[in-house]
């Protein structure tokens, strides 16, 4: 027994020493220049931001935006033949892979939060998601007040109960929180009548509804319980590289190019199944395009 | 790696007014509750099934064998999904709605994990009973005990002693397996682990803490059962180690 305790102690102290032993690398631009490659982190199923098409190629709204960033890097470094690598990431490993240098830029659906800013950096927001409610049309739920005493599902990582309470000042409603292990799971709970509403990012709800068996049976209702900005993830404290990313994105927003890309991915049929998300640009996103910001959500 | 270590985040307040360490403690509580309740169910049902499989009655053996075959060959997470998603759709509507909306999820988790583990305990109890010499049963019957009494007073007490080490590892497994119940909505330690990573991105600190917490739970169980093993040993009858060290 004593032996295994020693091993654990050793592992822990090793883990503790990793941090101070590594100094800040000399910047993403320098790394790209030295290696002649840039590695783009992408997601495999964040429709329509970053996902795989029928040929397993990463596509999406965020991928289109990042392609422009890569072009800007090529121009900046005067390396037209810069090699672009793609690396799939998940919500669990995206931050560690950015920190250890596996990826140089992440183009997915990552919320820019103050907590994450301790670990990584973010570009200006290119999308704002609102936390709202996905319900069955026949459930009669139209607003937060209709949820009193009902089971409400959300996916691991958010507390719908708290969001609902914060937004229903003055009234006392109580909901019973239940949890799905992933978004498909949570949506199934609404589909099967186990939950009255699914509290989640509206764009994710729109995707789940659009690809469900009967999209007409569901709708997104209620006010926004919280707005969350999505940003392109870059390494922390790497101002020169972040400046290129931000300059590119802001340029696209000002020129109207970003809005065209939005229409392409959110208002038209998209691969691989030619589903149309029919997702109107929200007023908060319009405002974010007019005055771009990299402020993170609390 | 430019990792930003921050051990103090455990003391930071979250959305719901609690601190992150409160989430961990609450997760620990649920993990312990689900594990111990499942273990109790598994011991009771597993023992009954194990005994059934050693009786001379063919149909009892068949039921026990079928149970073990079914519950041992399906992955735990699939079994949980069966209880959680499939069964409520197969029963009458009103019962189904009651299962979906009123029955606390922890009941489903305990039943799922308990029935899964029962199959494994049944196998061990059967092996323990079969390892005894036939003379023990015969002597019992010759003394005028009924079949059931030979189990109650002679064969089960001996069999349990023999398989206690195997049951110890089952009891430790149940703590580890309880992590799967997050998938049917139990807010246990693994759920809180995922939730805290999602919110704080302090992956390393929380992984270290949760690893230690699971280790401590399984290790406590191990020590407890090693103690029971020592206390119940019959001198001269079964040769065992002097408690594992």
């Amino acid at each position: 027994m004593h032996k295994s305790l020693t091993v654990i102690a050793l592992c822990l102290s090793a883990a503790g020493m990793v941090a101070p032993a590594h100094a800040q690398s000399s910047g993403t631009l320098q790394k790209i220049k030295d290696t002649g490659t840039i590695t783009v982190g992408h997601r495999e199923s964040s429709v329509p931001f970053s996902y795989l098409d029928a040929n397993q190629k990463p596509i999406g709204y965020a991928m289109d935006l990042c392609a422009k960033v890569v072009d800007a890097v090529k121009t900046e470094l005067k390396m037209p033949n810069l090699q672009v690598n793609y690396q799939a990431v998940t919500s669990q490993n995206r931050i560690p892979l950015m920190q250890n240098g596996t990826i140089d830029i992440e183009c997915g659906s990552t919320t820019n939060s103050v907590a994450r800013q301790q670990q990584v950096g973010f570009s200006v927001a290119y999308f704002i998601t609102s936390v709202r409610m996905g319900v069955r049309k026949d459930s009669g739920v139209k607003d937060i007040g209709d949820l009193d005493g009902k089971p409400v599902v959300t996916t691991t990582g958010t507390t719908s109960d708290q969001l609902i309470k914060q937004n229903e000042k003055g009234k006392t409603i109580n909901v019973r929180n239940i949890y799905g292990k992933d978004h498909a799971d949570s949506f199934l709970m609404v589909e099967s009548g186990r939950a009255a509403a699914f509290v989640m990012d509206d764009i994710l709800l729109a995707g789940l509804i659009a690809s469900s068996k009967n999209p007409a049976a569901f709708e997104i209702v209620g006010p926004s319980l919280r707005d969350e900005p999505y940003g392109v993830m870059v390494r922390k404290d790497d101002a020169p590289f972040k400046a290129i990313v931000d300059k590119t994105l802001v340029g696209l927003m000002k020129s109207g190019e970003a809005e065209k890309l939005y229409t392409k991915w959110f208002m038209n049929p998209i691969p691989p199944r030619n589903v149309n998300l029919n997702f109107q640009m929200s007023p908060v996103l319009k405002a974010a395009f007019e005055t771009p910001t990299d402020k993170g959500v609390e | 790696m430019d990792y930003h270590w921050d051990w103090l985040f455990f003391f930071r307040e979250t959305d719901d007014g609690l601190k992150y360490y409160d989430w961990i403690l609450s997760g620990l509580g649920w993990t312990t509750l689900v594990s111990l309740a499942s273990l109790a169910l598994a011991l009771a049902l597993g023992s009954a099934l194990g005994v059934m499989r050693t009786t001379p009655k063919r149909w009892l053996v068949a039921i026990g064998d079928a149970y073990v075959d079914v519950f041992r060959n399906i992955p735990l997470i699939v079994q949980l999904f069966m209880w959680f998603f499939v069964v409520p759709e197969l029963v009458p509507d009103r019962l189904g709605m009651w299962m979906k909306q009123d029955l606390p999820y922890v009941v489903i988790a305990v039943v799922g994990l308990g029935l899964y583990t029962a199959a494994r305990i049944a196998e061990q109890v059967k092996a323990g009973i079969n390892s005894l010499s036939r003379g023990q049963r015969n002597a019992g019957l010759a003394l005028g005990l009924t079949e059931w009494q030979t189990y109650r007073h002679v064969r089960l007490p001996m069999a349990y002693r023999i398989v206690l080490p195997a049951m110890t590892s089952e009891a430790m497994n149940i703590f580890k397996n309880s992590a799967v119940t997050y998938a049917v909505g139990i807010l246990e330690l693994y759920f809180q682990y995922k939730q805290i990573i999602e919110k704080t991105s302090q992956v390393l600190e929380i992984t270290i803490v949760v690893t230690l917490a699971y280790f401590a739970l399984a290790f406590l169980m191990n020590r407890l059962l090693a103690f029971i093993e020592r206390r119940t040993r019959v001198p001269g009858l079964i040769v065992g180690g002097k408690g594992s060290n």
Side-chain angles (χ1 to χ4, degrees):
Chain A
M1 198 48 242
H2 294 296
K3 213 176 268 173
S4 57
L5 275 179
T6 318
V7 172
I8 290 165
L10 276 177
C11 292
L12 288 185
S13 50
M17 280 178 328
V18 172
H22 286 248
Q24 173 73 34
S25 54
S26 52
T28 307
L29 279 176
Q30 189 61 44
K31 181 186 170 236
I32 294 171
K33 201 171 184 181
D34 292 345
T35 57
T37 58
I38 179 168
T39 305
V40 178
H42 67 88
R43 300 292 298 265
E44 294 188 318
S45 58
S46 284
V47 183
F49 298 95
S50 175
Y51 64 104
L52 298 178
D53 68 4
N55 305 317
Q56 302 299 301
K57 197 167 110 8
I59 55 168
Y61 171 64
M63 295 308 293
D64 279 359
L65 294 173
C66 278
K68 304 282 187 190
V69 172
V70 171
D71 288 344
V73 172
K74 284 179 183 168
T75 316
E76 171 78 20
L77 295 177
K78 302 189 179 65
M79 296 174 77
N81 297 320
L82 182 65
Q83 195 190 330
V84 185
N85 289 340
Y86 293 95
Q87 168 71 49
V89 300
T90 67
S91 35
Q92 271 83 46
N93 69 18
R94 59 193 169 189
I95 288 178
L97 290 181
M98 174 61 72
Q99 289 170 323
N100 74 12
T102 306
I103 56 175
D104 298 312
I105 180 170
E106 193 248 9
C107 313
S109 49
T110 304
T111 297
N112 175 359
S113 73
V114 172
R116 284 181 183 151
Q117 285 174 7
Q118 303 238 343
Q119 308 291 354
V120 289
F122 287 96
S123 72
V124 295
Y126 58 83
F127 188 82
I128 311 249
T129 175
S130 301
V131 177
R132 298 179 68 202
M133 302 187 288
V135 299
R136 274 159 68 132
K137 277 185 188 159
D138 62 15
S139 70
V141 174
K142 294 284 170 213
D143 212 333
I144 298 174
D146 300 329
L147 290 179
D148 197 18
K150 297 214 168 109
V152 173
V153 66
T154 188
T155 306
T156 315
T158 49
T159 320
S160 54
D161 186 37
Q162 217 47 41
L163 284 178
I164 289 168
K165 286 224 169 85
Q166 284 162 5
N167 279 272
E168 193 68 344
K169 296 183 184 75
K171 283 185 211 164
T172 48
I173 69 157
N174 277 303
V175 302
R176 202 155 67 82
N177 261 309
I178 55 181
Y179 297 89
K181 82 174 182 324
D182 54 37
H183 300 320
D185 210 38
S186 302
F187 190 71
L188 184 63
M189 297 215 190
V190 173
E191 219 172 4
S192 67
R194 198 183 276 273
F198 177 15
V199 172
M200 190 34 66
D201 299 356
D202 52 0
I203 179 58
L204 289 169
L205 291 172
L208 288 162
I209 291 172
S211 51
S212 72
K213 262 174 286 165
N214 182 12
F218 304 94
E219 62 185 336
I220 301 171
V221 299
S224 172
L225 303 179
R226 180 162 69 199
D227 291 338
E228 294 192 356
Y230 286 177
V232 170
M233 198 163 81
V234 296
R235 255 180 288 281
K236 187 170 146 69
D237 301 329
D238 189 347
F241 187 66
K242 177 174 151 55
I244 294 180
V245 177
D246 279 347
K247 199 175 143 221
T248 311
L249 293 179
V250 171
L252 294 170
M253 290 168 193
K254 298 291 182 199
S255 70
E257 184 87 7
E259 197 167 339
K260 274 191 206 131
L261 288 175
Y262 182 96
T263 311
K264 170 183 166 191
W265 290 102
F266 293 87
M267 306 288 291
N268 280 294
I270 51 170
R273 289 172 50 208
N274 282 320
V275 176
N276 187 344
L277 294 178
N278 258 322
F279 195 77
Q280 296 281 348
M281 193 186 271
S282 67
V284 274
L285 182 56
K286 278 195 185 116
F289 276 12
E290 271 155 33
T291 36
T293 166
D294 62 359
K295 198 168 170 293
V297 72
E298 275 299 324
Chain B
M1 203 165 133
D2 318 318
Y3 188 80
H4 177 270
W5 288 86
D6 178 12
W7 285 98
L8 292 178
F9 90 87
F10 287 108
F11 300 96
R12 226 181 294 140
E13 200 164 290
T14 68
D15 294 352
D16 54 5
L18 296 173
K19 305 218 162 66
Y20 284 109
Y21 73 80
D22 291 318
W23 286 13
I24 306 227
L25 291 178
S26 138
L28 258 177
W30 281 104
T31 291
T32 310
L33 174 77
V34 167
S35 304
L36 294 183
S38 305
L39 185 60
L41 174 63
L43 278 176
L45 182 63
S47 299
L49 287 162
V51 168
M52 278 163 67
R53 298 172 72 202
T54 61
T55 55
K57 291 211 169 55
R58 279 250 180 93
W59 62 277
L60 281 180
V61 176
I63 293 176
D65 285 354
Y67 181 94
V68 171
D69 281 341
V70 170
F71 284 85
R72 221 165 51 143
N73 286 314
I74 300 173
L76 174 58
I77 192 160
V78 178
Q79 291 193 29
L80 285 172
F81 285 156
M82 289 288 289
W83 296 114
F84 192 72
F85 287 114
V86 182
V87 171
E89 305 300 333
L90 298 181
V91 297
D93 270 0
R94 283 192 50 192
L95 180 59
M97 276 323 266
W98 178 80
M99 286 180 75
K100 285 195 253 185
Q101 302 210 332
D102 297 318
L103 183 68
Y105 290 180
V106 64
V107 174
I108 296 174
V110 167
V111 167
L113 183 54
L115 297 195
Y116 170 82
T117 310
R120 307 171 61 94
I121 303 247
E123 194 68 10
Q124 289 159 7
V125 170
K126 175 191 162 190
I129 294 172
N130 284 346
S131 72
L132 302 173
S133 76
R134 298 173 64 84
Q136 299 222 3
R137 168 172 174 258
N138 294 341
L141 293 176
L143 279 172
L145 300 181
T146 62
E147 185 81 35
W148 162 241
Q149 283 170 330
T150 68
Y151 278 112
R152 167 76 184 79
H153 297 293
V154 182
R155 301 160 80 188
L156 271 175
M158 292 308 295
Y160 278 134
R161 286 188 177 90
I162 293 170
V163 299
L164 202 55
M167 285 206 186
T168 302
S169 73
E170 217 49 64
M172 292 163 71
N173 274 345
I174 218 161
F175 280 104
K176 295 173 257 175
N177 287 342
S178 73
V180 174
T181 63
Y182 96 96
V184 291
I186 308 300
L187 311 189
E188 42 68 76
L189 194 53
Y190 183 68
F191 174 94
Q192 300 294 4
Y193 170 65
K194 289 192 57 139
Q195 172 154 273
I196 296 174
I197 289 183
E198 196 63 37
K199 290 194 82 88
T200 66
S201 299
Q202 303 293 144
V203 187
L204 298 191
E205 295 90 334
I206 178 70
T207 304
I208 289 169
V209 166
V210 168
T211 308
L212 287 176
Y214 274 116
F215 174 85
L217 283 177
F219 186 66
L220 266 177
M221 199 46 141
N222 171 297
R223 293 289 91 184
L224 178 70
L225 287 172
F227 173 74
I228 294 176
E229 205 180 320
R230 274 198 302 277
R231 292 299 298 264
T232 55
R233 190 179 303 131
V234 181
L237 260 186
I238 299 163
V239 188
K242 292 176 177 166
S244 54
N245 254 319

